[in-house]
Amino acid sequence: MRLSRQRRMVLDLLWTEKSHLSARDIFEKLNDLGRHIGHTSVYQNLEALQSAGVIECLDRASGRLYGYRADPHSHLTCSETGAIQDLDVQLPPELLQQIEAHTGYTIESYTLQLSGRPSQH
């Protein structure tokens, strides 16, 4: 994949922010930084980067969110704010074996989608 100036701008922003952003957020943040890019260019570059496996795309009820990580990982979503936290979670081998026995499938990879609220201490 060719890394154009616009793709580099989008990637740099996602790596700097280290959060999940909508295409509109990316458009606004880049333009606020003086990096002029159009709506269409943002969408096209996000789709190209996601298709190439460079960034991740999460489909949410509120729309698509893009993140800087493309490696397998899980997510924890705050039920109150909608904030998404990346998690590196490993399930116990016994649990994976239970799932395989129950489903008849060999688990090759997995991601978890968790949701919750901050604990009240």
Side-chain angles (χ1 to χ4, degrees):
M1 152 179 261
R2 192 171 82 71
L3 196 57
S4 67
R5 183 181 64 82
Q6 291 180 332
R7 284 189 188 140
R8 169 59 73 189
M9 287 189 322
V10 170
L11 272 178
D12 285 345
L13 179 69
L14 287 173
W15 285 333
T16 302
E17 293 286 322
K18 295 203 182 326
S19 62
H20 298 81
L21 302 172
S22 69
R24 181 173 197 74
D25 292 336
I26 293 167
F27 167 79
E28 289 173 358
K29 285 179 182 284
L30 286 174
N31 280 284
D32 287 348
L33 292 169
R35 301 203 172 124
H36 302 291
I37 185 171
H39 282 284
T40 304
S41 293
V42 169
Y43 285 104
Q44 289 172 341
N45 284 293
L46 286 169
E47 289 302 313
L49 290 166
Q50 191 244 329
S51 293
V54 177
I55 61 172
E56 73 172 337
C57 176
L58 303 175
D59 286 312
R60 297 288 191 223
S62 58
R64 288 182 157 191
L65 297 176
Y66 298 88
Y68 69 102
R69 289 183 64 176
D71 61 318
H73 62 282
S74 299
H75 298 103
L76 172 61
T77 304
C78 178
S79 301
E80 294 176 0
T81 65
I84 300 169
Q85 183 176 342
D86 290 329
L87 300 173
D88 292 306
V89 175
Q90 274 197 311
L91 295 177
E94 308 80 49
L95 179 57
L96 291 173
Q97 290 166 359
Q98 265 185 306
I99 294 169
E100 289 176 342
H102 181 73
T103 62
Y105 282 80
T106 300
I107 305 299
E108 296 175 349
S109 67
Y110 60 87
T111 60
L112 301 175
Q113 303 293 328
L114 306 167
S115 60
R117 301 178 190 289
S119 299
Q120 302 298 326
H121 295 285

